[in-house]
Amino acid sequence: MAFIARFSAFVGKTFALWTILFAVLGFVFPSTFRQLTPYIVTLLGIIMFGMGLTISADDFREVVRRPLDVLIGVIAQFLIMPLLAVALTRIIPMSPEVAAGVILVGCCPGGTSSNVMTYLSKGDVALSVACTSVTTLLAPVVTPFLVWLFASQFLPVDAAAMFLSIVKVVLLPLALGYLAQKLMPGVVHAAVPMLPLVSVTGIVLIVAAVVGASRGAIVQSGLMIFAVVILHNGLGYLLGFFAAKATGMSLAKRKAIAIEVGMQNSGLGAALATAYFSPLAAVPSAIFSVWHNISGALLANYFETRTEEPEAGAKPH
């Protein structure tokens, strides 16, 4: 049991490497991994159930304690990334499927790995967790609406069906996980150290399945999609940081908002794209899963060295 817990922690810390490895495996052995495509929704449900096992009332106390900070983070998340996605689809020529996929991942809630990156960056972790939790709970309503608003020009969007899907694969597993920790606290406490292994396994299998199912399209337009993802993610960090700065937030809060905005729940994006659009539309989410863990770690390393500058006239401590 101790070995599994240590291995799980190791896998969690090396998440980006495993994601890259399985993306490559999906590309090299497409016929093997494309068989996992029907199970993408199930894998995402397992990941969200694991999140439910760790979520607590403390995660939402920040909403009551400082609602304005959380509101700014949530608005930035659901405003900056969708609008950036729309702008990129206008500037860079791409097929309707890829454009819909880029917009879809932009309309997703924040990714849970943003909390880890915020911690590594010495940012405001409580604010990051609160923003992730609130955007995740709002996702069933906000994500389908934004996708319908911005992506229906490219492909038909069934917002009602998408709403039900997010309830099934996000809210229901979250609720069941939360209920499990209340009914079986001892069992859940023992299982928590193994959750990084479960979550990473779920994400890397989703990535490999999407890459395997879309290998041909990736060969043709993979570099373009990768460039779009890098721009989307990087500009998300940048605009998130300056949105927080413009509202007078401290450096620790700016770090949290920047990372929160730039990192998406790309697993949800891949699941929805596969279910409602096409495997090709899921490729931006799959590449986002790989890239944002690399860029997030690099940004966290940079942020970790940055400290709040003393105000003019203030004496150094």
PDB file of all heavy atoms in Angstrom, residues 16 20 113 117 121 226 229-237 258-259 262-264 287-303:
ATOM      1  N   ALA A  16       3.209  15.616 -16.689  1.00  0.00           N
ATOM      2  CA  ALA A  16       3.473  16.104 -18.047  1.00  0.00           C
ATOM      3  C   ALA A  16       4.213  15.060 -18.877  1.00  0.00           C
ATOM      4  O   ALA A  16       3.902  14.861 -20.063  1.00  0.00           O
ATOM      5  CB  ALA A  16       4.274  17.404 -17.988  1.00  0.00           C
ATOM      6  N   ILE A  20       2.876  13.283 -22.388  1.00  0.00           N
ATOM      7  CA  ILE A  20       3.636  13.288 -23.642  1.00  0.00           C
ATOM      8  C   ILE A  20       3.854  11.862 -24.142  1.00  0.00           C
ATOM      9  O   ILE A  20       3.666  11.564 -25.326  1.00  0.00           O
ATOM     10  CB  ILE A  20       4.997  13.991 -23.440  1.00  0.00           C
ATOM     11  CG1 ILE A  20       4.789  15.476 -23.141  1.00  0.00           C
ATOM     12  CG2 ILE A  20       5.881  13.823 -24.679  1.00  0.00           C
ATOM     13  CD1 ILE A  20       6.049  16.186 -22.679  1.00  0.00           C
ATOM     14  N   SER A 113      -5.304  20.739 -12.313  1.00  0.00           N
ATOM     15  CA  SER A 113      -3.850  20.849 -12.171  1.00  0.00           C
ATOM     16  C   SER A 113      -3.420  22.291 -11.947  1.00  0.00           C
ATOM     17  O   SER A 113      -2.293  22.560 -11.528  1.00  0.00           O
ATOM     18  CB  SER A 113      -3.132  20.258 -13.393  1.00  0.00           C
ATOM     19  OG  SER A 113      -3.647  20.784 -14.589  1.00  0.00           O
ATOM     20  N   MET A 117      -0.133  23.896  -9.813  1.00  0.00           N
ATOM     21  CA  MET A 117       0.785  24.880 -10.381  1.00  0.00           C
ATOM     22  C   MET A 117       0.778  26.177  -9.573  1.00  0.00           C
ATOM     23  O   MET A 117       1.821  26.816  -9.398  1.00  0.00           O
ATOM     24  CB  MET A 117       0.418  25.171 -11.841  1.00  0.00           C
ATOM     25  CG  MET A 117       0.476  23.963 -12.760  1.00  0.00           C
ATOM     26  SD  MET A 117       2.067  23.106 -12.716  1.00  0.00           S
ATOM     27  CE  MET A 117       1.684  21.682 -13.760  1.00  0.00           C
ATOM     28  N   SER A 121       3.932  27.897  -7.666  1.00  0.00           N
ATOM     29  CA  SER A 121       4.311  29.269  -8.012  1.00  0.00           C
ATOM     30  C   SER A 121       4.292  30.207  -6.804  1.00  0.00           C
ATOM     31  O   SER A 121       4.589  31.387  -6.937  1.00  0.00           O
ATOM     32  CB  SER A 121       3.363  29.811  -9.085  1.00  0.00           C
ATOM     33  OG  SER A 121       2.091  30.085  -8.535  1.00  0.00           O
ATOM     34  N   PHE A 226      -1.123  22.749 -32.844  1.00  0.00           N
ATOM     35  CA  PHE A 226      -0.188  22.931 -31.732  1.00  0.00           C
ATOM     36  C   PHE A 226       0.125  24.410 -31.545  1.00  0.00           C
ATOM     37  O   PHE A 226       0.154  24.919 -30.413  1.00  0.00           O
ATOM     38  CB  PHE A 226       1.099  22.142 -31.989  1.00  0.00           C
ATOM     39  CG  PHE A 226       1.966  21.981 -30.779  1.00  0.00           C
ATOM     40  CD1 PHE A 226       1.573  21.185 -29.717  1.00  0.00           C
ATOM     41  CD2 PHE A 226       3.187  22.646 -30.690  1.00  0.00           C
ATOM     42  CE1 PHE A 226       2.368  21.047 -28.589  1.00  0.00           C
ATOM     43  CE2 PHE A 226       3.992  22.513 -29.568  1.00  0.00           C
ATOM     44  CZ  PHE A 226       3.585  21.714 -28.516  1.00  0.00           C
ATOM     45  N   VAL A 229      -2.855  26.110 -29.942  1.00  0.00           N
ATOM     46  CA  VAL A 229      -2.937  25.765 -28.517  1.00  0.00           C
ATOM     47  C   VAL A 229      -1.923  26.562 -27.703  1.00  0.00           C
ATOM     48  O   VAL A 229      -2.233  27.085 -26.626  1.00  0.00           O
ATOM     49  CB  VAL A 229      -2.735  24.249 -28.321  1.00  0.00           C
ATOM     50  CG1 VAL A 229      -2.473  23.916 -26.848  1.00  0.00           C
ATOM     51  CG2 VAL A 229      -3.951  23.484 -28.808  1.00  0.00           C
ATOM     52  N   ILE A 230      -0.685  26.678 -28.216  1.00  0.00           N
ATOM     53  CA  ILE A 230       0.350  27.432 -27.505  1.00  0.00           C
ATOM     54  C   ILE A 230      -0.058  28.894 -27.358  1.00  0.00           C
ATOM     55  O   ILE A 230       0.069  29.496 -26.278  1.00  0.00           O
ATOM     56  CB  ILE A 230       1.703  27.323 -28.233  1.00  0.00           C
ATOM     57  CG1 ILE A 230       2.262  25.894 -28.106  1.00  0.00           C
ATOM     58  CG2 ILE A 230       2.717  28.322 -27.662  1.00  0.00           C
ATOM     59  CD1 ILE A 230       3.533  25.661 -28.894  1.00  0.00           C
ATOM     60  N   LEU A 231      -0.579  29.486 -28.434  1.00  0.00           N
ATOM     61  CA  LEU A 231      -1.033  30.872 -28.384  1.00  0.00           C
ATOM     62  C   LEU A 231      -2.205  31.042 -27.417  1.00  0.00           C
ATOM     63  O   LEU A 231      -2.237  31.979 -26.605  1.00  0.00           O
ATOM     64  CB  LEU A 231      -1.446  31.340 -29.784  1.00  0.00           C
ATOM     65  CG  LEU A 231      -0.317  31.661 -30.762  1.00  0.00           C
ATOM     66  CD1 LEU A 231      -0.878  31.861 -32.161  1.00  0.00           C
ATOM     67  CD2 LEU A 231       0.454  32.900 -30.308  1.00  0.00           C
ATOM     68  N   HIS A 232      -3.174  30.140 -27.503  1.00  0.00           N
ATOM     69  CA  HIS A 232      -4.372  30.193 -26.648  1.00  0.00           C
ATOM     70  C   HIS A 232      -3.985  30.125 -25.176  1.00  0.00           C
ATOM     71  O   HIS A 232      -4.396  30.964 -24.355  1.00  0.00           O
ATOM     72  CB  HIS A 232      -5.279  29.021 -27.021  1.00  0.00           C
ATOM     73  CG  HIS A 232      -6.680  29.162 -26.529  1.00  0.00           C
ATOM     74  ND1 HIS A 232      -7.618  28.156 -26.670  1.00  0.00           N
ATOM     75  CD2 HIS A 232      -7.333  30.173 -25.896  1.00  0.00           C
ATOM     76  CE1 HIS A 232      -8.763  28.561 -26.155  1.00  0.00           C
ATOM     77  NE2 HIS A 232      -8.619  29.764 -25.672  1.00  0.00           N
ATOM     78  N   ASN A 233      -3.163  29.155 -24.851  1.00  0.00           N
ATOM     79  CA  ASN A 233      -2.728  28.937 -23.479  1.00  0.00           C
ATOM     80  C   ASN A 233      -1.867  30.102 -22.976  1.00  0.00           C
ATOM     81  O   ASN A 233      -2.103  30.655 -21.887  1.00  0.00           O
ATOM     82  CB  ASN A 233      -1.957  27.611 -23.421  1.00  0.00           C
ATOM     83  CG  ASN A 233      -1.279  27.354 -22.094  1.00  0.00           C
ATOM     84  OD1 ASN A 233      -0.059  27.229 -22.055  1.00  0.00           O
ATOM     85  ND2 ASN A 233      -2.031  27.264 -21.029  1.00  0.00           N
ATOM     86  N   GLY A 234      -0.880  30.509 -23.769  1.00  0.00           N
ATOM     87  CA  GLY A 234       0.034  31.574 -23.354  1.00  0.00           C
ATOM     88  C   GLY A 234      -0.654  32.911 -23.189  1.00  0.00           C
ATOM     89  O   GLY A 234      -0.426  33.636 -22.202  1.00  0.00           O
ATOM     90  N   LEU A 235      -1.515  33.265 -24.137  1.00  0.00           N
ATOM     91  CA  LEU A 235      -2.260  34.524 -24.030  1.00  0.00           C
ATOM     92  C   LEU A 235      -3.251  34.479 -22.870  1.00  0.00           C
ATOM     93  O   LEU A 235      -3.539  35.501 -22.247  1.00  0.00           O
ATOM     94  CB  LEU A 235      -2.989  34.814 -25.343  1.00  0.00           C
ATOM     95  CG  LEU A 235      -2.084  35.198 -26.525  1.00  0.00           C
ATOM     96  CD1 LEU A 235      -2.888  35.248 -27.821  1.00  0.00           C
ATOM     97  CD2 LEU A 235      -1.394  36.533 -26.266  1.00  0.00           C
ATOM     98  N   GLY A 236      -3.768  33.269 -22.568  1.00  0.00           N
ATOM     99  CA  GLY A 236      -4.654  33.114 -21.412  1.00  0.00           C
ATOM    100  C   GLY A 236      -3.934  33.459 -20.113  1.00  0.00           C
ATOM    101  O   GLY A 236      -4.466  34.186 -19.260  1.00  0.00           O
ATOM    102  N   TYR A 237      -2.704  32.928 -19.953  1.00  0.00           N
ATOM    103  CA  TYR A 237      -1.896  33.281 -18.777  1.00  0.00           C
ATOM    104  C   TYR A 237      -1.693  34.790 -18.700  1.00  0.00           C
ATOM    105  O   TYR A 237      -1.872  35.406 -17.653  1.00  0.00           O
ATOM    106  CB  TYR A 237      -0.505  32.625 -18.862  1.00  0.00           C
ATOM    107  CG  TYR A 237      -0.462  31.135 -18.727  1.00  0.00           C
ATOM    108  CD1 TYR A 237       0.412  30.377 -19.512  1.00  0.00           C
ATOM    109  CD2 TYR A 237      -1.252  30.457 -17.802  1.00  0.00           C
ATOM    110  CE1 TYR A 237       0.498  29.008 -19.385  1.00  0.00           C
ATOM    111  CE2 TYR A 237      -1.180  29.080 -17.667  1.00  0.00           C
ATOM    112  CZ  TYR A 237      -0.296  28.355 -18.465  1.00  0.00           C
ATOM    113  OH  TYR A 237      -0.212  26.992 -18.344  1.00  0.00           O
ATOM    114  N   ALA A 258      -3.862  34.066 -13.202  1.00  0.00           N
ATOM    115  CA  ALA A 258      -3.186  33.803 -14.479  1.00  0.00           C
ATOM    116  C   ALA A 258      -3.177  32.315 -14.796  1.00  0.00           C
ATOM    117  O   ALA A 258      -3.539  31.893 -15.903  1.00  0.00           O
ATOM    118  CB  ALA A 258      -1.750  34.335 -14.434  1.00  0.00           C
ATOM    119  N   ILE A 259      -2.787  31.505 -13.824  1.00  0.00           N
ATOM    120  CA  ILE A 259      -2.715  30.059 -14.032  1.00  0.00           C
ATOM    121  C   ILE A 259      -4.113  29.472 -14.186  1.00  0.00           C
ATOM    122  O   ILE A 259      -4.343  28.588 -15.023  1.00  0.00           O
ATOM    123  CB  ILE A 259      -1.943  29.391 -12.869  1.00  0.00           C
ATOM    124  CG1 ILE A 259      -0.477  29.834 -12.911  1.00  0.00           C
ATOM    125  CG2 ILE A 259      -2.051  27.874 -12.931  1.00  0.00           C
ATOM    126  CD1 ILE A 259       0.341  29.409 -11.707  1.00  0.00           C
ATOM    127  N   GLY A 262      -5.375  30.294 -17.751  1.00  0.00           N
ATOM    128  CA  GLY A 262      -4.653  29.628 -18.836  1.00  0.00           C
ATOM    129  C   GLY A 262      -4.816  28.130 -18.898  1.00  0.00           C
ATOM    130  O   GLY A 262      -4.675  27.529 -19.974  1.00  0.00           O
ATOM    131  N   MET A 263      -5.105  27.477 -17.762  1.00  0.00           N
ATOM    132  CA  MET A 263      -5.205  26.015 -17.725  1.00  0.00           C
ATOM    133  C   MET A 263      -6.671  25.593 -17.737  1.00  0.00           C
ATOM    134  O   MET A 263      -7.459  26.051 -16.914  1.00  0.00           O
ATOM    135  CB  MET A 263      -4.481  25.465 -16.498  1.00  0.00           C
ATOM    136  CG  MET A 263      -3.010  25.832 -16.465  1.00  0.00           C
ATOM    137  SD  MET A 263      -2.071  25.002 -15.165  1.00  0.00           S
ATOM    138  CE  MET A 263      -1.896  23.367 -15.873  1.00  0.00           C
ATOM    139  N   GLN A 264      -7.025  24.730 -18.684  1.00  0.00           N
ATOM    140  CA  GLN A 264      -8.412  24.324 -18.877  1.00  0.00           C
ATOM    141  C   GLN A 264      -8.649  22.870 -18.474  1.00  0.00           C
ATOM    142  O   GLN A 264      -7.708  22.068 -18.425  1.00  0.00           O
ATOM    143  CB  GLN A 264      -8.783  24.479 -20.359  1.00  0.00           C
ATOM    144  CG  GLN A 264      -8.651  25.890 -20.903  1.00  0.00           C
ATOM    145  CD  GLN A 264      -9.656  26.835 -20.288  1.00  0.00           C
ATOM    146  OE1 GLN A 264      -9.388  27.453 -19.263  1.00  0.00           O
ATOM    147  NE2 GLN A 264     -10.813  26.962 -20.899  1.00  0.00           N
ATOM    148  N   ILE A 287      -4.160  18.060 -27.301  1.00  0.00           N
ATOM    149  CA  ILE A 287      -2.876  18.760 -27.325  1.00  0.00           C
ATOM    150  C   ILE A 287      -2.787  19.741 -26.156  1.00  0.00           C
ATOM    151  O   ILE A 287      -1.723  19.902 -25.540  1.00  0.00           O
ATOM    152  CB  ILE A 287      -2.670  19.473 -28.676  1.00  0.00           C
ATOM    153  CG1 ILE A 287      -2.558  18.436 -29.802  1.00  0.00           C
ATOM    154  CG2 ILE A 287      -1.430  20.362 -28.647  1.00  0.00           C
ATOM    155  CD1 ILE A 287      -2.418  19.010 -31.184  1.00  0.00           C
ATOM    156  N   PHE A 288      -3.920  20.356 -25.813  1.00  0.00           N
ATOM    157  CA  PHE A 288      -3.960  21.264 -24.659  1.00  0.00           C
ATOM    158  C   PHE A 288      -3.572  20.505 -23.387  1.00  0.00           C
ATOM    159  O   PHE A 288      -2.838  21.028 -22.535  1.00  0.00           O
ATOM    160  CB  PHE A 288      -5.358  21.872 -24.511  1.00  0.00           C
ATOM    161  CG  PHE A 288      -5.371  23.253 -23.935  1.00  0.00           C
ATOM    162  CD1 PHE A 288      -5.634  24.364 -24.729  1.00  0.00           C
ATOM    163  CD2 PHE A 288      -5.106  23.473 -22.589  1.00  0.00           C
ATOM    164  CE1 PHE A 288      -5.649  25.655 -24.205  1.00  0.00           C
ATOM    165  CE2 PHE A 288      -5.116  24.755 -22.054  1.00  0.00           C
ATOM    166  CZ  PHE A 288      -5.389  25.844 -22.871  1.00  0.00           C
ATOM    167  N   SER A 289      -4.071  19.263 -23.255  1.00  0.00           N
ATOM    168  CA  SER A 289      -3.748  18.443 -22.078  1.00  0.00           C
ATOM    169  C   SER A 289      -2.248  18.241 -21.938  1.00  0.00           C
ATOM    170  O   SER A 289      -1.709  18.244 -20.827  1.00  0.00           O
ATOM    171  CB  SER A 289      -4.438  17.084 -22.179  1.00  0.00           C
ATOM    172  OG  SER A 289      -5.820  17.205 -22.042  1.00  0.00           O
ATOM    173  N   VAL A 290      -1.592  18.031 -23.071  1.00  0.00           N
ATOM    174  CA  VAL A 290      -0.141  17.833 -23.052  1.00  0.00           C
ATOM    175  C   VAL A 290       0.561  19.155 -22.747  1.00  0.00           C
ATOM    176  O   VAL A 290       1.382  19.243 -21.825  1.00  0.00           O
ATOM    177  CB  VAL A 290       0.356  17.285 -24.412  1.00  0.00           C
ATOM    178  CG1 VAL A 290       1.880  17.133 -24.396  1.00  0.00           C
ATOM    179  CG2 VAL A 290      -0.309  15.949 -24.733  1.00  0.00           C
ATOM    180  N   TRP A 291       0.210  20.191 -23.504  1.00  0.00           N
ATOM    181  CA  TRP A 291       0.969  21.435 -23.448  1.00  0.00           C
ATOM    182  C   TRP A 291       0.776  22.211 -22.154  1.00  0.00           C
ATOM    183  O   TRP A 291       1.737  22.741 -21.587  1.00  0.00           O
ATOM    184  CB  TRP A 291       0.624  22.327 -24.645  1.00  0.00           C
ATOM    185  CG  TRP A 291       1.301  23.663 -24.545  1.00  0.00           C
ATOM    186  CD1 TRP A 291       0.725  24.875 -24.326  1.00  0.00           C
ATOM    187  CD2 TRP A 291       2.713  23.908 -24.607  1.00  0.00           C
ATOM    188  NE1 TRP A 291       1.679  25.861 -24.249  1.00  0.00           N
ATOM    189  CE2 TRP A 291       2.914  25.291 -24.410  1.00  0.00           C
ATOM    190  CE3 TRP A 291       3.821  23.090 -24.800  1.00  0.00           C
ATOM    191  CZ2 TRP A 291       4.166  25.873 -24.419  1.00  0.00           C
ATOM    192  CZ3 TRP A 291       5.095  23.676 -24.794  1.00  0.00           C
ATOM    193  CH2 TRP A 291       5.252  25.046 -24.612  1.00  0.00           C
ATOM    194  N   HIS A 292      -0.475  22.306 -21.643  1.00  0.00           N
ATOM    195  CA  HIS A 292      -0.666  23.203 -20.493  1.00  0.00           C
ATOM    196  C   HIS A 292       0.009  22.681 -19.231  1.00  0.00           C
ATOM    197  O   HIS A 292       0.310  23.466 -18.321  1.00  0.00           O
ATOM    198  CB  HIS A 292      -2.149  23.552 -20.269  1.00  0.00           C
ATOM    199  CG  HIS A 292      -2.973  22.519 -19.582  1.00  0.00           C
ATOM    200  ND1 HIS A 292      -4.217  22.790 -19.073  1.00  0.00           N
ATOM    201  CD2 HIS A 292      -2.764  21.204 -19.320  1.00  0.00           C
ATOM    202  CE1 HIS A 292      -4.734  21.709 -18.518  1.00  0.00           C
ATOM    203  NE2 HIS A 292      -3.873  20.740 -18.659  1.00  0.00           N
ATOM    204  N   ASN A 293       0.269  21.382 -19.164  1.00  0.00           N
ATOM    205  CA  ASN A 293       1.019  20.859 -18.019  1.00  0.00           C
ATOM    206  C   ASN A 293       2.503  21.210 -18.115  1.00  0.00           C
ATOM    207  O   ASN A 293       3.168  21.402 -17.093  1.00  0.00           O
ATOM    208  CB  ASN A 293       0.827  19.348 -17.907  1.00  0.00           C
ATOM    209  CG  ASN A 293      -0.539  18.985 -17.385  1.00  0.00           C
ATOM    210  OD1 ASN A 293      -0.858  19.240 -16.232  1.00  0.00           O
ATOM    211  ND2 ASN A 293      -1.370  18.405 -18.232  1.00  0.00           N
ATOM    212  N   ILE A 294       3.010  21.291 -19.345  1.00  0.00           N
ATOM    213  CA  ILE A 294       4.406  21.705 -19.537  1.00  0.00           C
ATOM    214  C   ILE A 294       4.535  23.203 -19.284  1.00  0.00           C
ATOM    215  O   ILE A 294       5.383  23.650 -18.498  1.00  0.00           O
ATOM    216  CB  ILE A 294       4.877  21.355 -20.967  1.00  0.00           C
ATOM    217  CG1 ILE A 294       4.815  19.846 -21.202  1.00  0.00           C
ATOM    218  CG2 ILE A 294       6.294  21.878 -21.214  1.00  0.00           C
ATOM    219  CD1 ILE A 294       5.018  19.437 -22.637  1.00  0.00           C
ATOM    220  N   SER A 295       3.677  23.986 -19.951  1.00  0.00           N
ATOM    221  CA  SER A 295       3.755  25.448 -19.807  1.00  0.00           C
ATOM    222  C   SER A 295       3.431  25.874 -18.380  1.00  0.00           C
ATOM    223  O   SER A 295       4.025  26.823 -17.854  1.00  0.00           O
ATOM    224  CB  SER A 295       2.800  26.128 -20.791  1.00  0.00           C
ATOM    225  OG  SER A 295       1.451  25.837 -20.478  1.00  0.00           O
ATOM    226  N   GLY A 296       2.475  25.176 -17.748  1.00  0.00           N
ATOM    227  CA  GLY A 296       2.116  25.514 -16.372  1.00  0.00           C
ATOM    228  C   GLY A 296       3.274  25.319 -15.416  1.00  0.00           C
ATOM    229  O   GLY A 296       3.507  26.148 -14.530  1.00  0.00           O
ATOM    230  N   ALA A 297       4.019  24.227 -15.611  1.00  0.00           N
ATOM    231  CA  ALA A 297       5.187  23.972 -14.763  1.00  0.00           C
ATOM    232  C   ALA A 297       6.267  25.023 -15.000  1.00  0.00           C
ATOM    233  O   ALA A 297       6.898  25.516 -14.048  1.00  0.00           O
ATOM    234  CB  ALA A 297       5.738  22.580 -15.048  1.00  0.00           C
ATOM    235  N   LEU A 298       6.488  25.399 -16.260  1.00  0.00           N
ATOM    236  CA  LEU A 298       7.490  26.424 -16.582  1.00  0.00           C
ATOM    237  C   LEU A 298       7.093  27.779 -15.979  1.00  0.00           C
ATOM    238  O   LEU A 298       7.931  28.492 -15.407  1.00  0.00           O
ATOM    239  CB  LEU A 298       7.649  26.555 -18.098  1.00  0.00           C
ATOM    240  CG  LEU A 298       8.258  25.340 -18.825  1.00  0.00           C
ATOM    241  CD1 LEU A 298       8.180  25.534 -20.333  1.00  0.00           C
ATOM    242  CD2 LEU A 298       9.703  25.125 -18.385  1.00  0.00           C
ATOM    243  N   LEU A 299       5.804  28.123 -16.108  1.00  0.00           N
ATOM    244  CA  LEU A 299       5.320  29.389 -15.561  1.00  0.00           C
ATOM    245  C   LEU A 299       5.421  29.390 -14.034  1.00  0.00           C
ATOM    246  O   LEU A 299       5.797  30.401 -13.430  1.00  0.00           O
ATOM    247  CB  LEU A 299       3.877  29.637 -15.997  1.00  0.00           C
ATOM    248  CG  LEU A 299       3.261  30.969 -15.557  1.00  0.00           C
ATOM    249  CD1 LEU A 299       4.028  32.145 -16.153  1.00  0.00           C
ATOM    250  CD2 LEU A 299       1.788  31.040 -15.949  1.00  0.00           C
ATOM    251  N   ALA A 300       5.095  28.256 -13.424  1.00  0.00           N
ATOM    252  CA  ALA A 300       5.180  28.160 -11.960  1.00  0.00           C
ATOM    253  C   ALA A 300       6.616  28.363 -11.488  1.00  0.00           C
ATOM    254  O   ALA A 300       6.866  29.038 -10.484  1.00  0.00           O
ATOM    255  CB  ALA A 300       4.647  26.803 -11.486  1.00  0.00           C
ATOM    256  N   ASN A 301       7.570  27.794 -12.235  1.00  0.00           N
ATOM    257  CA  ASN A 301       8.988  27.967 -11.875  1.00  0.00           C
ATOM    258  C   ASN A 301       9.390  29.442 -11.974  1.00  0.00           C
ATOM    259  O   ASN A 301      10.145  29.950 -11.135  1.00  0.00           O
ATOM    260  CB  ASN A 301       9.880  27.132 -12.795  1.00  0.00           C
ATOM    261  CG  ASN A 301       9.792  25.653 -12.482  1.00  0.00           C
ATOM    262  OD1 ASN A 301       9.437  25.277 -11.366  1.00  0.00           O
ATOM    263  ND2 ASN A 301      10.115  24.814 -13.445  1.00  0.00           N
ATOM    264  N   TYR A 302       8.879  30.131 -12.994  1.00  0.00           N
ATOM    265  CA  TYR A 302       9.177  31.564 -13.152  1.00  0.00           C
ATOM    266  C   TYR A 302       8.510  32.380 -12.044  1.00  0.00           C
ATOM    267  O   TYR A 302       9.139  33.224 -11.406  1.00  0.00           O
ATOM    268  CB  TYR A 302       8.710  32.040 -14.519  1.00  0.00           C
ATOM    269  CG  TYR A 302       8.770  33.546 -14.687  1.00  0.00           C
ATOM    270  CD1 TYR A 302       9.983  34.199 -14.863  1.00  0.00           C
ATOM    271  CD2 TYR A 302       7.593  34.311 -14.634  1.00  0.00           C
ATOM    272  CE1 TYR A 302      10.032  35.586 -14.996  1.00  0.00           C
ATOM    273  CE2 TYR A 302       7.641  35.697 -14.767  1.00  0.00           C
ATOM    274  CZ  TYR A 302       8.858  36.321 -14.950  1.00  0.00           C
ATOM    275  OH  TYR A 302       8.908  37.686 -15.071  1.00  0.00           O
ATOM    276  N   PHE A 303       7.222  32.115 -11.832  1.00  0.00           N
ATOM    277  CA  PHE A 303       6.482  32.859 -10.810  1.00  0.00           C
ATOM    278  C   PHE A 303       7.080  32.669  -9.417  1.00  0.00           C
ATOM    279  O   PHE A 303       7.030  33.568  -8.578  1.00  0.00           O
ATOM    280  CB  PHE A 303       5.018  32.405 -10.795  1.00  0.00           C
ATOM    281  CG  PHE A 303       4.132  33.156 -11.767  1.00  0.00           C
ATOM    282  CD1 PHE A 303       2.868  32.649 -12.097  1.00  0.00           C
ATOM    283  CD2 PHE A 303       4.523  34.353 -12.336  1.00  0.00           C
ATOM    284  CE1 PHE A 303       2.033  33.326 -12.982  1.00  0.00           C
ATOM    285  CE2 PHE A 303       3.690  35.039 -13.215  1.00  0.00           C
ATOM    286  CZ  PHE A 303       2.442  34.522 -13.539  1.00  0.00           C
TER     287      PHE A 303
END
